[in-house]
Amino acid sequence: MLSYRHGFHAGNHADVLKHLIEVLILDHFLRKETPFLYVDTHAGAGMYDLDDRFASRNAEYRSGISKIQHARRELPAELRLYLETIDQCCDQFGKDIPHCYPGSPLVALQMLRDKDKAHFFELHPADCDLLQKQAYRHAKITLADGLAGLKALLPPASRRAFVLIDPPYEDKRDYRTVVDTLHGALKRFATGVYAVWYPLLPKGEHRDLVEGLRQLSPEYYLKAELATHDERGDYGMYGSGMFVINPPWKLAQQLETALPVLDKLLSEEGQGGQTLEFRQP
Ligand code: SAM
């Protein structure tokens, strides 16, 4: 049974980290004329109304995107690009929603050119339906398991692809399935850029995932983590991370600038912290 609805978390610190890295990777892809394929294996609903009953319940966006917006004038170029993309996305897809925040598939559609291709997977029927309504003209959208569906899309005809993998990890087997899926994906298409989001949890469920991903690509990866507060007891996410296989070479340098700013703006006073680790040829 799928109980996770991303609407409860839209615009939180994890979305900020994930969508910043998504935007920076897409910006890199756009620098070459050759078209590419963007795949979102866990796409969500597309656009979120931050005033609706989901997002307003815990108002997680207040300790995420709202803090970035308040600091708009003092942001480095990387975070300005992220914020401008979010703003443009809301203008294009959220015209009727005064207080909106876009999900990863719409962030991508905002940036993709007509010649690029997008494929989104979403397993929750209601969220898939919402996504269909907004994006059917621009992307192929499938109500299916994105980890199982990725294989058939690789290698892409264009020989360029960026795959975002953003599971809710409600099913603890996802940690292992993500590694196995990427093992298969790299065999079919070794040069793709693959970005995986994961939560930082006190019991350390993410550690085997990170180690498994590192072993898949020990010489060419980037890991960025942002803890927004210290661990509190045995449960509850205290931050999140992104692991990128075959990252664009400038991404590490961009995050060396942007991550300390995210830490300053989003972490609780004297708690949390950020780490960046990378290997590239
Ligand atoms: N990527 C989105 C974004 O950044 O805006 C958020 C995605 S949310 C964290 C995870 C989504 O994956 C949920 O909407 C959930 O319904 C969906 N989901 C869960 N398991 C799935 C699976 N095996 N395949 C595709 N979607 C799945």
Side-chain angles (χ1 to χ4, degrees):
M1 216 224 7
L2 287 170
S3 56
Y4 181 94
R5 303 298 297 273
H6 194 65
F8 287 112
H9 312 288
N12 69 1
H13 59 82
D15 265 4
V16 172
L17 176 70
K18 172 181 45 183
H19 296 155
L20 165 68
I21 292 177
E22 180 189 6
V23 166
L24 294 176
I25 294 175
L26 285 168
D27 184 53
H28 162 82
F29 269 82
L30 294 170
R31 284 168 197 267
K32 280 198 189 148
E33 280 304 317
T34 324
F36 65 95
L37 169 69
Y38 171 81
V39 183
D40 210 318
T41 59
H42 297 70
M47 185 57 81
Y48 302 94
D49 180 347
L50 298 180
D51 292 328
D52 75 8
R53 69 188 170 94
F54 294 106
S56 59
R57 191 166 78 175
N58 296 325
E60 292 185 21
Y61 63 86
R62 285 201 193 128
S63 47
I65 185 63
S66 298
K67 290 199 169 172
I68 306 292
Q69 285 164 333
H70 287 141
R72 188 179 287 272
R73 297 218 174 105
E74 50 193 87
L75 297 174
E78 295 78 10
L79 279 160
R80 280 206 309 275
L81 176 64
Y82 157 68
L83 202 48
E84 281 161 15
T85 307
I86 297 300
D87 288 346
Q88 287 159 5
C89 212
C90 283
D91 287 347
Q92 185 181 339
F93 295 101
K95 284 191 189 70
D96 305 327
I97 310 173
H99 194 194
C100 67
Y101 186 80
S104 53
L106 297 190
V107 168
L109 289 185
Q110 176 60 36
M111 297 182 76
L112 262 51
R113 305 158 296 193
D114 288 345
K115 61 187 173 186
D116 301 318
K117 290 200 167 14
H119 198 128
F120 306 148
F121 294 93
E122 172 52 50
L123 207 48
H124 197 294
D127 280 354
C128 192
D129 197 41
L130 287 167
L131 184 61
Q132 280 280 6
K133 288 193 173 104
Q134 300 159 91
Y136 73 95
R137 282 195 205 91
H138 316 285
K140 176 118 176 65
I141 302 161
T142 315
L143 175 67
D145 179 342
L147 293 176
L150 176 61
K151 188 175 169 189
L153 302 181
L154 301 176
S158 57
R159 296 274 151 188
R160 298 182 79 207
F162 169 28
V163 179
L164 177 64
I165 299 181
D166 181 22
Y169 300 99
E170 262 184 327
D171 181 344
K172 298 298 168 219
R173 287 172 298 186
D174 279 354
Y175 291 103
R176 187 65 235 169
T177 314
V178 167
V179 177
D180 292 344
T181 300
L182 279 172
H183 182 242
L186 283 164
K187 274 193 181 157
R188 294 177 75 85
F189 185 50
T191 56
V193 175
Y194 302 92
V196 179
W197 178 88
Y198 55 92
L200 300 180
L201 297 168
K203 288 191 175 168
E205 291 91 330
H206 57 282
R207 287 193 199 110
D208 284 350
L209 168 82
V210 168
E211 198 38 49
L213 294 174
R214 207 192 266 111
Q215 281 173 19
L216 290 178
S217 182
E219 301 303 327
Y220 197 5
Y221 73 87
L222 176 149
K223 175 172 80 84
E225 292 184 351
L226 177 70
T228 52
H229 56 75
D230 297 340
E231 296 173 32
R232 290 174 189 149
D234 286 346
Y235 300 97
M237 184 171 100
Y238 61 89
S240 71
M242 284 282 276
F243 194 101
V244 187
I245 293 177
N246 302 328
W249 66 271
K250 255 179 78 176
L251 185 62
Q253 191 190 330
Q254 291 173 310
L255 291 175
E256 270 169 349
T257 306
L259 271 183
V261 179
L262 281 192
D263 183 26
K264 180 168 159 249
L265 293 174
L266 304 186
S267 297
E268 291 178 24
E269 185 78 36
Q271 297 193 37
Q274 50 86 25
T275 56
L276 180 66
E277 178 189 312
F278 60 91
R279 292 284 297 267
Q280 42 196 39

